[in-house]
Amino acid sequence: MKILVFGSLNIDRRYIVDHFVQPGETLSSLDVGTFSGGKGLNQAIACKKAGSDVYMAGKIGKDGAFLLAELKDADVSTKHVFIDENMMSGHAIIQVDTNGQNCIITYGGTNRAITKEEIDEVLADFSAGDIILMQNEINSMEYIIEQAHAKGMLVALNPSPIDDALMNSDLSKVTYFIMNEVEAAKISGKADVTEAFDVLRAKYPQSKIVITMGGDGSMFFDGEKIWRHGIYKVKAVDTTAAGDTFTGYFLNGLLEGLQPLEIMSQAAKASAIAVSQPGAADSIPTKDVVLATQLELK
Ligand code: RIB
């Protein structure tokens, strides 16, 4: 079974800061680095490292050549990544504080310039039973979901970041939602995560839903029952791509047919390992590392 990740590829400029910059403040950073990122690219690499057969689709500018190299190194197919020589790739400005927490600004660039013809061309290579994994960092998300669903592909969505277009989209064709508690609150209109879960289950009765809750772990509705799992203890260095790592490992676990708690445990452990390393895509561990690493639940 093939996973098509149709999503963003970003050049991440990461600044280490003592604290996040405040309104009116000019702040000197302690360190700077450039990494491969974008929720699409990160999740494609996470799915691949977890063990899936992965195809990336998206668009970069000529400044994004190293993003393609990163995908190729990870053995993700890049046949469906378009290049626009005249545009800037998407990029992200990421502040990481000394506790490893981050805040991110993105600029869409080529991620937001994908044409309907390119979308149709990509989807022509996929068929019923294949999975499409999306986030909300590219244009035409709703069109892609509609077309993929019409072909019989299963749709997985990490609805991040939330914006007005996403809030106004028809998400009823999504089979798997993987989101964090902030996204769950925005989509459901309920701040309390249990209430948010109930609203989402009522609104999308055909869907399986995962909500990650930071230090409180994750909840997973598998269509019949709600499962809960905690997080693993690590020293946080950089939380960038923690959610992407969780998403990739979770989806792979579902497709492998693992038991719910095993899926949640693998996703939580992979994400904990990612948090203990700097960078986005570079911090995502392989399955061997995840299986060999012993961590304590918090
Ligand atoms: O989820 C982390 C990612 O969000 C970063 O790699 C950044 O590019 C933004 O897309």
Side-chain angles (χ1 to χ4, degrees):
M1 190 184 303
K2 300 195 278 196
I3 299 183
L4 167 64
V5 181
F6 211 141
S8 57
L9 302 96
N10 283 340
I11 299 170
D12 284 0
R13 302 228 189 274
R14 191 241 24 213
Y15 300 85
I16 303 287
V17 290
D18 180 62
H19 61 271
F20 297 148
V21 69
Q22 300 296 302
E25 182 183 19
T26 300
L27 184 66
S28 294
S29 63
L30 306 171
D31 189 23
V32 65
T34 300
F35 296 93
S36 309
K39 294 183 194 305
L41 178 149
N42 296 340
Q43 292 180 21
I45 289 182
C47 288
K48 181 70 204 187
K49 288 193 173 172
S52 294
D53 181 19
V54 186
Y55 298 74
M56 177 87 215
K59 191 182 266 190
I60 54 171
K62 62 177 176 208
D63 53 346
F66 77 97
L67 303 174
L68 274 192
E70 177 99 31
L71 287 163
K72 284 181 183 154
D73 277 358
D75 212 14
V76 171
S77 165
T78 56
K79 181 183 160 202
H80 304 93
V81 178
F82 299 94
I83 301 176
D84 184 329
E85 302 272 333
N86 300 313
M87 279 189 81
M88 219 191 219
S89 298
H91 71 259
I93 305 290
I94 305 180
Q95 296 179 53
V96 175
D97 73 10
T98 42
N99 297 316
Q101 296 305 310
N102 67 45
C103 58
I104 303 179
I105 300 172
T106 62
Y107 173 71
T110 43
N111 292 316
R112 298 245 168 230
I114 301 166
T115 65
K116 292 217 160 132
E117 291 71 28
E118 288 164 343
I119 293 167
D120 296 342
E121 184 185 324
V122 171
L123 293 180
D125 281 352
F126 295 85
S127 50
D130 290 335
I131 313 283
I132 182 165
L133 169 60
M134 296 199 65
Q135 313 76 31
N136 189 33
E137 286 188 326
I138 60 171
N139 61 292
S140 302
M141 182 200 74
E142 197 175 12
Y143 176 75
I144 298 173
I145 291 179
E146 264 169 31
Q147 298 300 310
H149 183 262
K151 292 177 79 85
M153 294 177 76
L154 292 178
V155 180
L157 178 66
N158 169 223
S160 179
I162 302 267
D163 60 12
D164 289 346
L166 182 131
M167 291 299 283
N168 294 323
S169 297
D170 171 14
L171 302 181
S172 61
K173 300 182 177 78
V174 174
T175 306
Y176 307 112
F177 282 103
I178 306 172
M179 66 184 92
N180 67 27
E181 58 194 329
V182 176
E183 290 143 6
K186 285 193 180 152
I187 295 179
S188 66
K190 300 283 178 195
D192 177 79
V193 73
T194 312
E195 286 179 35
F197 220 105
D198 290 344
V199 170
L200 291 170
R201 284 167 57 205
K203 197 167 174 187
Y204 304 110
Q206 325 295 354
S207 309
K208 298 181 174 29
I209 303 170
V210 190
I211 302 179
T212 57
M213 303 172 294
D216 292 329
S218 60
M219 286 168 79
F220 170 38
F221 175 64
D222 66 359
E224 286 175 12
K225 182 176 165 178
I226 295 182
W227 303 83
R228 289 178 174 75
H229 197 280
I231 61 161
Y232 289 98
K233 281 191 213 162
V234 282
K235 177 170 166 21
V237 170
D238 182 351
T239 50
T240 312
D244 299 329
T245 305
F246 188 98
T247 298
Y249 268 81
F250 200 97
L251 188 60
N252 178 75
L254 278 175
L255 302 181
E256 276 185 15
L258 301 181
Q259 292 305 307
L261 288 178
E262 181 61 17
I263 301 174
M264 297 167 91
S265 169
Q266 269 187 19
K269 200 187 275 183
S271 147
I273 296 169
V275 160
S276 67
Q277 310 288 328
D282 304 279
S283 69
I284 301 169
T286 59
K287 180 80 149 287
D288 290 351
V289 170
V290 174
L291 295 179
T293 304
Q294 303 294 325
L295 293 174
E296 247 180 81
L297 273 171
K298 218 164 182 174

Coordinates of all heavy atoms in Angstrom, one line a residue, residues 8-13 35-43 90-94 102 104-106 111 137 158 160-161 239-245 279-281, ligand 1:
S8 N 3.7 20.4 2.3 CA 4.7 21.4 2.2 C 6.1 20.9 2.3 O 6.4 19.9 3.0 CB 4.4 22.4 3.4 OG 4.5 21.7 4.6
L9 N 7.0 21.6 1.7 CA 8.5 21.4 1.9 C 9.0 22.8 2.2 O 8.8 23.8 1.5 CB 9.1 20.9 0.6 CG 8.6 19.6 0.0 CD1 7.6 19.9 -1.1 CD2 9.7 18.8 -0.6
N10 N 9.6 22.9 3.4 CA 10.1 24.2 3.8 C 11.6 24.2 4.2 O 12.2 23.2 4.6 CB 9.4 24.7 5.2 CG 8.0 25.2 5.0 OD1 7.7 25.6 3.9 ND2 7.2 25.2 6.0
I11 N 12.2 25.4 3.9 CA 13.6 25.6 4.4 C 13.4 26.2 5.8 O 12.8 27.3 6.0 CB 14.3 26.6 3.5 CG1 14.4 26.0 2.1 CG2 15.7 27.0 4.1 CD1 14.9 27.0 1.1
D12 N 13.8 25.5 6.9 CA 13.6 25.9 8.2 C 14.9 26.7 8.7 O 16.0 26.1 8.7 CB 13.4 24.7 9.2 CG 12.0 24.1 9.1 OD1 11.2 24.6 8.3 OD2 11.8 23.1 9.8
R13 N 14.7 28.0 9.0 CA 15.8 28.7 9.7 C 15.5 28.7 11.1 O 14.5 29.3 11.6 CB 15.9 30.1 9.1 CG 16.0 30.2 7.6 CD 17.1 31.1 7.2 NE 17.1 31.3 5.8 CZ 17.8 30.5 4.9 NH1 18.5 29.5 5.4 NH2 17.7 30.7 3.6
F35 N 17.7 23.9 8.4 CA 17.3 22.5 8.3 C 16.2 22.3 7.3 O 15.5 23.2 6.9 CB 16.7 22.1 9.7 CG 17.7 22.2 10.8 CD1 17.8 23.3 11.6 CD2 18.5 21.1 11.1 CE1 18.7 23.4 12.7 CE2 19.4 21.1 12.2 CZ 19.5 22.3 12.9
S36 N 16.0 21.0 6.9 CA 14.9 20.6 6.0 C 13.6 20.5 6.9 O 13.7 20.0 8.0 CB 15.1 19.2 5.5 OG 16.3 19.1 4.9
G37 N 12.5 21.1 6.4 CA 11.3 21.0 7.2 C 10.1 21.1 6.3 O 10.1 20.8 5.1
G38 N 9.0 21.6 6.9 CA 7.7 21.6 6.3 C 7.0 20.4 6.8 O 7.6 19.3 6.9
K39 N 5.7 20.6 7.2 CA 5.0 19.5 7.8 C 4.9 18.3 6.8 O 4.9 17.1 7.2 CB 3.6 19.9 8.3 CG 3.7 21.0 9.4 CD 2.4 21.4 9.9 CE 2.5 22.6 10.8 NZ 3.5 22.5 11.9
G40 N 4.7 18.6 5.5 CA 4.6 17.6 4.5 C 5.9 16.7 4.5 O 5.9 15.5 4.6
L41 N 7.0 17.4 4.3 CA 8.3 16.7 4.2 C 8.6 15.9 5.4 O 9.0 14.8 5.4 CB 9.4 17.7 3.9 CG 10.9 17.2 3.8 CD1 11.7 18.0 2.8 CD2 11.6 17.1 5.1
N42 N 8.4 16.6 6.6 CA 8.7 15.9 7.9 C 7.8 14.6 8.0 O 8.3 13.6 8.4 CB 8.4 16.8 9.1 CG 9.2 18.0 9.1 OD1 10.3 18.1 8.5 ND2 8.8 19.1 9.8
Q43 N 6.5 14.7 7.7 CA 5.7 13.6 7.8 C 6.0 12.5 6.8 O 5.9 11.3 7.1 CB 4.2 14.0 7.8 CG 3.8 14.9 9.0 CD 2.4 15.4 9.0 OE1 1.5 14.8 8.4 NE2 2.2 16.4 9.8
G90 N 9.0 27.4 0.1 CA 8.4 27.8 1.4 C 9.5 27.8 2.4 O 10.5 27.1 2.3
H91 N 9.4 28.7 3.4 CA 10.3 28.7 4.5 C 9.7 29.0 5.8 O 8.5 29.4 5.9 CB 11.5 29.6 4.2 CG 11.2 31.1 4.3 ND1 11.1 31.8 3.2 CD2 11.1 31.9 5.4 CE1 10.8 33.1 3.6 NE2 10.9 33.1 4.9
A92 N 10.4 28.6 6.9 CA 9.9 28.8 8.2 C 11.0 29.5 9.1 O 12.2 29.2 8.9 CB 9.5 27.5 8.9
I93 N 10.6 30.5 9.9 CA 11.5 31.1 10.9 C 11.1 30.5 12.2 O 9.9 30.6 12.6 CB 11.2 32.6 10.9 CG1 11.3 33.3 9.5 CG2 12.1 33.3 12.0 CD1 12.7 33.4 9.0
I94 N 12.0 29.8 12.8 CA 11.6 29.0 14.0 C 12.5 29.5 15.2 O 13.7 29.5 15.1 CB 11.9 27.5 13.8 CG1 11.1 27.0 12.6 CG2 11.5 26.7 15.1 CD1 11.3 25.6 12.3
N102 N 9.1 25.7 20.8 CA 9.3 26.5 19.6 C 8.2 27.4 19.3 O 7.1 27.2 19.9 CB 9.6 25.6 18.4 CG 8.4 24.8 18.0 OD1 7.3 25.3 17.9 ND2 8.7 23.5 17.7
I104 N 6.8 29.3 15.5 CA 7.1 29.2 14.1 C 6.3 30.2 13.2 O 5.1 30.3 13.4 CB 6.8 27.7 13.6 CG1 7.6 26.7 14.4 CG2 7.1 27.6 12.1 CD1 7.3 25.2 14.0
I105 N 7.0 30.9 12.3 CA 6.3 31.6 11.3 C 6.6 31.0 10.0 O 7.8 30.7 9.7 CB 6.8 33.1 11.2 CG1 6.6 33.8 12.6 CG2 6.1 33.9 10.1 CD1 7.3 35.2 12.6
T106 N 5.6 30.8 9.1 CA 6.0 30.2 7.8 C 5.6 31.2 6.7 O 4.8 32.1 6.8 CB 5.2 28.9 7.5 OG1 3.8 29.2 7.5 CG2 5.5 27.8 8.5
N111 N 4.9 26.4 -1.9 CA 3.8 25.5 -1.3 C 2.4 25.9 -1.7 O 1.5 25.1 -1.6 CB 4.0 25.4 0.2 CG 5.2 24.8 0.7 OD1 5.6 23.7 0.2 ND2 5.9 25.4 1.6
E137 N -0.6 23.2 4.8 CA 0.4 24.2 4.5 C 0.5 24.4 3.0 O 1.4 25.0 2.5 CB 1.8 23.8 5.1 CG 1.8 24.1 6.6 CD 3.2 23.9 7.2 OE1 4.0 23.1 6.7 OE2 3.5 24.6 8.1
N158 N -3.7 15.9 9.0 CA -3.2 16.6 10.1 C -3.6 18.0 9.9 O -3.0 18.7 9.1 CB -1.7 16.4 10.2 CG -1.0 17.3 11.2 OD1 0.0 17.8 11.0 ND2 -1.6 17.3 12.4
S160 N -3.3 21.1 10.3 CA -2.3 22.1 10.9 C -1.6 22.8 9.8 O -1.1 22.2 8.9 CB -1.3 21.3 11.8 OG -0.4 22.2 12.3
P161 N -1.5 24.1 9.8 CA -2.1 25.0 10.8 C -3.6 25.2 10.5 O -4.0 25.1 9.3 CB -1.3 26.3 10.7 CG -0.8 26.3 9.3 CD -0.7 24.9 8.9
T239 N 11.5 20.9 20.1 CA 10.2 20.2 19.9 C 9.8 20.3 18.4 O 8.7 19.7 18.1 CB 9.1 20.8 20.8 OG1 9.2 22.2 20.6 CG2 9.4 20.4 22.2
T240 N 10.5 20.9 17.5 CA 10.1 21.1 16.1 C 9.9 19.7 15.5 O 10.8 18.8 15.7 CB 11.1 21.9 15.3 OG1 11.4 23.1 16.0 CG2 10.5 22.2 13.9
A241 N 8.8 19.4 14.8 CA 8.5 18.2 14.1 C 8.2 17.0 15.1 O 8.0 15.9 14.6 CB 9.7 17.7 13.2
A242 N 8.0 17.3 16.4 CA 7.5 16.2 17.3 C 6.1 15.7 16.8 O 5.9 14.5 16.7 CB 7.4 16.8 18.7
G243 N 5.2 16.7 16.5 CA 3.9 16.3 16.0 C 4.0 15.5 14.7 O 3.2 14.6 14.4
D244 N 4.9 16.0 13.8 CA 5.0 15.3 12.5 C 5.5 13.9 12.7 O 5.1 13.0 11.9 CB 6.0 16.1 11.6 CG 5.5 17.5 11.4 OD1 4.3 17.7 11.3 OD2 6.3 18.4 11.2
T245 N 6.5 13.7 13.6 CA 7.0 12.4 13.8 C 5.9 11.5 14.4 O 5.7 10.3 13.9 CB 8.2 12.5 14.9 OG1 9.1 13.4 14.4 CG2 8.8 11.1 15.1
G279 N 16.5 20.2 15.2 CA 16.1 20.1 13.8 C 14.7 19.5 13.6 O 14.1 19.1 14.6
A280 N 14.2 19.5 12.4 CA 12.9 19.0 12.1 C 13.1 17.6 11.5 O 13.2 16.6 12.3 CB 12.2 19.9 11.1
A281 N 13.1 17.5 10.2 CA 13.3 16.2 9.5 C 14.5 15.4 10.1 O 14.4 14.2 10.3 CB 13.4 16.3 8.0
Ligands
RIB1 O1 5.8 20.9 12.2 C1 7.1 21.5 12.1 C2 7.2 22.2 10.8 O2 6.3 23.3 10.7 C3 8.5 22.9 10.5 O3 9.5 22.0 9.9 C4 8.2 24.1 9.7 O4 8.7 24.1 8.4 C5 6.7 24.2 9.7 O5 6.1 23.8 8.6

